[in-house]
Amino acid sequence: MSVGELNGDGLRVHRLLQWVSTGFPLPIDVYTLSCFWRATICNNSVAIIIIPAVLRFQQKMSHTTTIPVIDIGAFVDAAKRADSDATAASLGAAFRDVGFAYITGHGVPSAVIQKAFSHAKRLFELPMDAKEALSMTGANAHTHRGYSGFGDEVLNEETKDWKEAFDIGYDLPPSDPDVAAGVPLHGPNVWPSHESAPELATFKHDLELYFSHMERVGRSLLVGFEKHFGLADGYFEPFFQRPLVLMRLLHYPPLPEEMLNSTTPGRDIVTCGEHSDYGGLTLLAVDAPGLQVKSTNGEWIAAPPMGNDALIVNLGDMMQRWTNDVLKATPHRVVNVNPLAHRYSIPFFFEPNFHSIVRCLEPCLRLSGTTVPKYPDTQYGPYLLSRYDATFNHRKDDESNPTNARPGRY
Ligand SMILES: O=C(O)CCC(=O)C(=O)O
Ligand SMILES: [Fe+2]
């Protein structure tokens, strides 16, 4: 069978088969298999040889046990905090080592998470002109809220991201002093209108509920880090009073034919380029495999959904600086393990205030065996703006971009 004889799904299947070099029995992920099975409906003649391809993907994605699972109930429930030493130790160990953990016991109801994913699916199903009406360019660039389309964000120049996003932040009224003063990244959110999409009538309500749960979990984790480093109770609170939260609905659709064809067979297709996150804590919900975490020896560790509503947590660069590199902002990426399926994820970036000055924590100087901080004191807001300016095409080289970072300007 030559590539020239095939088109559409047949060509995709042919490309999948080209990637098969080994295949021996391994546990099959039912989700992945079911997606491939759907893929084979219009190609019954090749269904039987799809399975080794699935097995090979599973073989590459099977090192999940190295990401620890931590029940953070001891920090979520204030009554249990007196007994939280062991949990604080596990948290510290996880973020000093791999830099990622699955967390359970966070108290976010399943229904809240499921509704957020349902809304994400419905939002991204809207026609492109409806999504572009919510665009984060133009007037919304200043607050960095709303829809950004394919190719707008480039996290790594070596790979092409293949995702669209909808960004929600801390909703602040015009009377807020920072909004009134025109401080970037402060202001109201952008919401889809009910008239054009009645199925999204509860979008704002349900997403705000999800947001408040994630903020609560983020604050609980900060309590854990205070405990781990022996900092005073509430040490982090003043730095997160008006946090620069960015909650993103992300959609990774099936790969277009050109992307499949232009990829070297056997190589991972990266849909979110290798990067580390920028700020404090990231709380991530995912509905499908694809996330990979870089281990210290450079190998990619798979971080698929774990069930029981476990959230994936990792740290951003500012947390690494704050701790003098004691805690890790680990590089990660998303690869397409199933070229025919949609993938959705919801990262919640829990970041310090715009005006917060991040300065090396005293206990971390000792822990890193030095008396000198590795990084200068950094004001978080301008730092975050410089990262956005470097990764979002609509912000690059935009003379009229009012939010371009100017150290010392705010
Ligand atoms: O989609 C994912 O699983 C991860 C996305 C991510 O790493 C990010 O947006 O920073
Ligand atoms: Fe990330």
Side-chain angles (χ1 to χ4, degrees):
M1 185 162 52
S2 78
V3 176
E5 291 164 16
L6 296 163
N7 54 30
D9 284 346
L11 183 54
R12 290 165 189 264
V13 168
H14 184 78
R15 299 290 299 192
L16 286 175
L17 297 178
Q18 283 184 315
W19 292 339
V20 179
S21 57
T22 59
F24 40 85
L26 288 162
I28 300 172
D29 178 293
V30 175
Y31 171 85
T32 310
L33 182 56
S34 68
C35 293
F36 275 83
W37 180 253
R38 275 205 303 276
T40 63
I41 287 170
C42 46
N43 284 281
N44 288 332
S45 58
V46 289
I48 212 156
I49 45 175
I50 297 303
I51 290 169
V54 177
L55 290 173
R56 180 162 178 268
F57 287 127
Q58 286 308 112
Q59 184 193 359
K60 291 169 75 178
M61 303 290 289
S62 62
H63 312 278
T64 55
T65 49
T66 48
I67 298 177
V69 181
I70 303 172
D71 182 335
I72 63 157
F75 300 125
V76 169
D77 181 350
K80 293 188 188 155
R81 281 190 192 161
D83 292 325
S84 60
D85 287 0
T87 313
S90 309
L91 206 60
F95 292 102
R96 285 182 191 209
D97 178 20
V98 65
F100 267 74
Y102 287 100
I103 59 158
T104 58
H106 45 64
V108 186
S110 242
V112 170
I113 299 175
Q114 288 323 311
K115 275 187 189 166
F117 275 110
S118 305
H119 281 306
K121 284 175 194 159
R122 282 192 289 246
L123 179 86
F124 290 118
E125 275 163 15
L126 292 177
M128 193 49 93
D129 57 348
K131 291 189 276 191
E132 281 181 347
L134 304 168
S135 170
M136 72 153 55
T137 57
N140 297 326
H142 184 68
T143 50
H144 201 75
R145 312 285 166 90
Y147 176 78
S148 56
F150 298 99
D152 186 23
E153 189 187 23
V154 180
L155 283 166
N156 191 310
E157 294 290 345
E158 285 173 28
T159 47
K160 185 173 183 278
D161 284 22
W162 185 244
K163 64 178 198 286
E164 52 183 342
F166 184 80
D167 291 4
I168 298 167
Y170 224 65
D171 214 9
L172 293 168
S175 58
D176 177 90
D178 281 328
V179 179
V183 178
L185 309 178
H186 290 70
N189 280 320
V190 172
W191 301 109
S193 83
H194 309 171
E195 292 79 45
S196 60
E199 65 280 16
L200 293 173
T202 58
F203 184 93
K204 178 174 184 290
H205 171 272
D206 295 339
L207 272 276
E208 281 180 340
L209 185 62
Y210 183 95
F211 190 105
S212 62
H213 272 290
M214 290 299 145
E215 183 178 349
R216 175 184 59 70
V217 175
R219 292 188 190 282
S220 302
L221 285 166
L222 290 178
V223 171
F225 288 118
E226 285 165 5
K227 185 122 195 168
H228 178 69
F229 290 124
L231 295 164
D233 287 354
Y235 178 89
F236 283 114
E237 266 170 32
F239 298 93
F240 288 84
Q241 272 165 343
R242 193 105 51 92
L244 286 179
V245 173
L246 189 70
M247 175 168 132
R248 314 195 77 193
L249 307 179
L250 296 179
H251 173 217
Y252 302 82
L255 292 175
E257 214 68 66
E258 319 82 75
M259 262 180 104
L260 272 177
N261 293 341
S262 64
T263 307
T264 313
R267 288 190 63 184
D268 289 316
I269 300 179
V270 177
T271 48
C272 170
E274 177 179 343
H275 67 283
S276 53
D277 293 343
Y278 309 149
L281 315 174
T282 306
L283 312 180
L284 177 69
V286 298
D287 81 332
L291 178 66
Q292 295 183 335
V293 173
K294 203 172 202 173
S295 70
T296 38
N297 65 7
E299 272 182 27
W300 289 107
I301 305 167
M306 212 196 64
N308 296 327
D309 298 322
L311 293 168
I312 298 167
V313 177
N314 63 289
L315 305 184
D317 297 332
M318 203 43 62
M319 204 64 175
Q320 178 166 327
R321 285 171 171 238
W322 222 337
T323 62
N324 222 28
D325 290 351
V326 172
L327 301 184
K328 303 278 184 314
T330 303
H332 52 283
R333 67 180 189 178
V334 177
V335 297
N336 189 301
V337 294
N338 187 342
L340 303 166
H342 293 262
R343 179 179 184 275
Y344 297 86
S345 70
I346 312 180
F348 182 91
F349 300 103
F350 189 49
E351 320 282 50
N353 307 330
F354 191 98
H355 303 288
S356 289
I357 305 289
V358 172
R359 172 173 303 152
C360 175
L361 298 168
E362 202 56 41
C364 294
L365 272 182
R366 271 182 282 109
L367 286 168
S368 53
T370 173
T371 51
V372 189
K374 292 186 182 171
Y375 304 98
D377 295 358
T378 309
Q379 187 189 341
Y380 187 63
Y383 172 83
L384 181 61
L385 284 169
S386 72
R387 302 293 299 262
Y388 287 165
D389 285 346
T391 48
F392 283 88
N393 283 324
H394 75 267
R395 303 177 72 93
K396 282 182 196 165
D397 308 322
D398 180 357
E399 295 281 309
S400 65
N401 175 3
T403 69
N404 268 332
R406 303 273 182 281
R409 186 169 146 202
Y410 303 103

